[in-house]
Amino acid sequence: MVVDLRSDTVTKPSDAMREAAKNADVGDDVYRDDPSVNELERRAAEILGKEAGLFVPSGTMGNQVAIRTHTDRGQELLADEHAHVLKWELGAVAQLSSLQTRLLDFGESAVPTPEQVREGIVEESLHEAGTGLFCLENTHNYRGGVAISKAEIDAAAEVAHEHGVPVHLDGARLFNAAEALDTDAAELAENADSVMFCLSKGLGAPVGSMLVGDQGFIDRARRTRKLFGGGMRQAGMIAAPGLLALENRGHLEADHRRAERIAEGLGEIDGIETTAPDTNIVVADVAGTGLSAEAFVGEIEQHGVLAVAFGETTVRFTTNWDVSDGDVESAIDSVRTAMAER
């Protein structure tokens, strides 16, 4: 048996999702004729408290469509030095939007102070293009799934707005943050001008992400999506499972509980250090085992546990829809055995 803890993107769609895809009411979405897509966009916007939504094939496309739509070429993007939009999206802000970047160290809290934002913003002038967009990420992937509170988001966003700079929230796992903070996702997103969230991570859909914002922004973003090759035709076949995924938000509590157990169990193994996770991501430091992250991942794979190297000596374990309590215990036992047999 293999326990796949590489990501929450590896889940298989449920039988209900497969049935929904099979029976979806469809049409040409570029012409706005797909009822399933239209309902998904409406429902996503409603849940996040925004005026309108846009269905996109991936989180990366959602982020990059937002960035391109908000900015003019040559402007600066203000973001964390470890932001997903910069670190794991193939330099798209440069290739697709021709932006400069001004990077801040958001620190372990994964959110900048208002003073950092104020110092990072560049006013437009005859000599400088100025800051075109400020990006936040919740939960923050690189920093271990840290959940950022509404107060922290609002304080940072307020400074950006004072300078006329829009705020985009990369909320790929926003509902994980809402679950961890026992709040509503719409509250967390209230002061973001645009929000991307994934249907295909913890919510379990096979494909797709959502971009939401005010109506004018989404109208412009729809054109950008077409420019980036994201105009889909009978997309209701993947939108219908997404509608079901939106109702899976309550499942995330179990993912978080299982992540806590993984952190606890791995932390009891000699050479492995963990901290209690906020959400469904556990980052383990394996330096004490004498192995690099890549070597550690290779060792545990031979014992049926899949994870990903996240740094030179850090490894990421991510709980997901397809991982049960029994799988978690099996994974902990397998890692313990792998280290004992070295």
Side-chain angles (χ1 to χ4, degrees):
M1 184 183 72
V2 174
V3 181
D4 194 342
L5 297 167
R6 290 173 297 170
S7 177
D8 44 12
T9 62
V10 300
T11 56
K12 304 297 192 297
S14 66
D15 290 342
M17 288 182 179
R18 293 174 187 270
E19 195 67 19
K22 175 184 175 182
N23 297 319
D25 194 4
V26 301
D28 190 323
D29 181 47
V30 173
Y31 289 115
R32 308 295 307 281
D33 288 344
D34 192 301
S36 299
V37 174
N38 292 343
E39 176 60 15
L40 176 61
E41 292 176 341
R42 184 200 67 76
R43 181 70 177 128
E46 177 182 61
I47 290 171
L48 267 295
K50 302 299 183 185
E51 290 180 356
L54 182 68
F55 185 40
V56 291
S58 70
T60 293
M61 180 175 281
N63 281 331
Q64 297 304 324
V65 164
I67 290 168
R68 177 66 181 266
T69 303
H70 279 302
T71 61
D72 293 327
R73 294 181 183 277
Q75 287 185 313
E76 291 190 5
L77 173 68
L78 184 65
D80 180 37
E81 60 184 356
H82 295 299
H84 193 285
V85 298
L86 301 174
K87 197 174 183 71
W88 285 301
E89 297 186 11
L90 285 174
V93 297
Q95 296 198 66
L96 301 179
S97 297
S98 300
L99 297 182
Q100 306 177 76
T101 56
R102 186 172 295 267
L103 307 183
L104 303 177
D105 181 0
F106 285 12
E108 294 306 310
S109 66
V111 62
T113 65
E115 291 72 26
Q116 281 181 294
V117 180
R118 189 170 290 108
E119 291 173 4
I121 288 177
V122 175
E123 299 290 347
E124 180 181 345
S125 71
L126 180 63
H127 303 287
E128 295 180 286
T131 303
L133 183 64
F134 172 46
C135 278
L136 290 168
E137 186 176 333
N138 199 13
T139 65
H140 198 295
N141 181 31
Y142 179 82
R143 299 187 187 278
V146 173
I148 306 171
S149 71
K150 174 177 171 56
E152 292 172 307
I153 292 172
D154 289 355
E158 182 179 3
V159 176
H161 288 151
E162 286 173 359
H163 290 79
V165 175
V167 177
H168 173 64
L169 178 60
D170 174 359
R173 295 181 175 92
L174 181 63
F175 293 108
N176 290 91
E179 173 64 36
L181 297 167
D182 193 25
T183 190
D184 192 86
E187 289 293 309
L188 296 178
E190 181 180 10
N191 286 304
D193 299 284
S194 59
V195 184
M196 185 284 295
F197 71 87
C198 292
L199 299 166
S200 57
K201 289 190 168 69
L203 301 183
V207 182
S209 293
M210 301 304 304
L211 180 62
V212 299
D214 66 36
Q215 187 66 59
F217 168 79
I218 291 298
D219 288 344
R220 299 191 304 276
R222 192 174 297 278
R223 289 175 54 85
T224 308
R225 184 188 70 171
K226 184 68 163 63
L227 173 68
F228 287 178
M232 298 176 284
R233 301 302 178 175
Q234 287 70 42
M237 296 182 73
I238 52 176
L243 275 165
L244 293 183
L246 286 176
E247 306 311 315
N248 288 342
R249 304 192 299 280
H251 170 80
L252 298 175
E253 183 276 334
D255 286 352
H256 295 183
R257 174 174 51 79
R258 289 171 183 139
E260 290 175 359
R261 174 59 188 139
I262 288 175
E264 177 186 45
L266 294 181
E268 294 171 349
I269 300 172
D270 287 345
I272 302 177
E273 294 184 5
T274 61
T275 56
D278 278 1
T279 54
N280 66 323
I281 294 174
V282 177
V283 178
D285 190 328
V286 301
T289 66
L291 296 172
S292 68
E294 291 286 356
F296 180 91
V297 167
E299 290 277 352
I300 66 173
E301 182 175 354
Q302 294 179 43
H303 288 75
V305 180
L306 303 183
V308 294
F310 218 49
E312 290 187 8
T313 63
T314 53
V315 176
R316 188 185 78 170
F317 299 82
T318 306
T319 55
N320 58 69
W321 179 268
D322 289 343
V323 173
S324 68
D325 290 338
D327 292 334
V328 166
E329 296 304 324
S330 176
I332 294 169
D333 289 343
S334 294
V335 173
R336 183 181 294 111
T337 299
M339 294 300 100
E341 291 181 354
R342 287 187 59 244

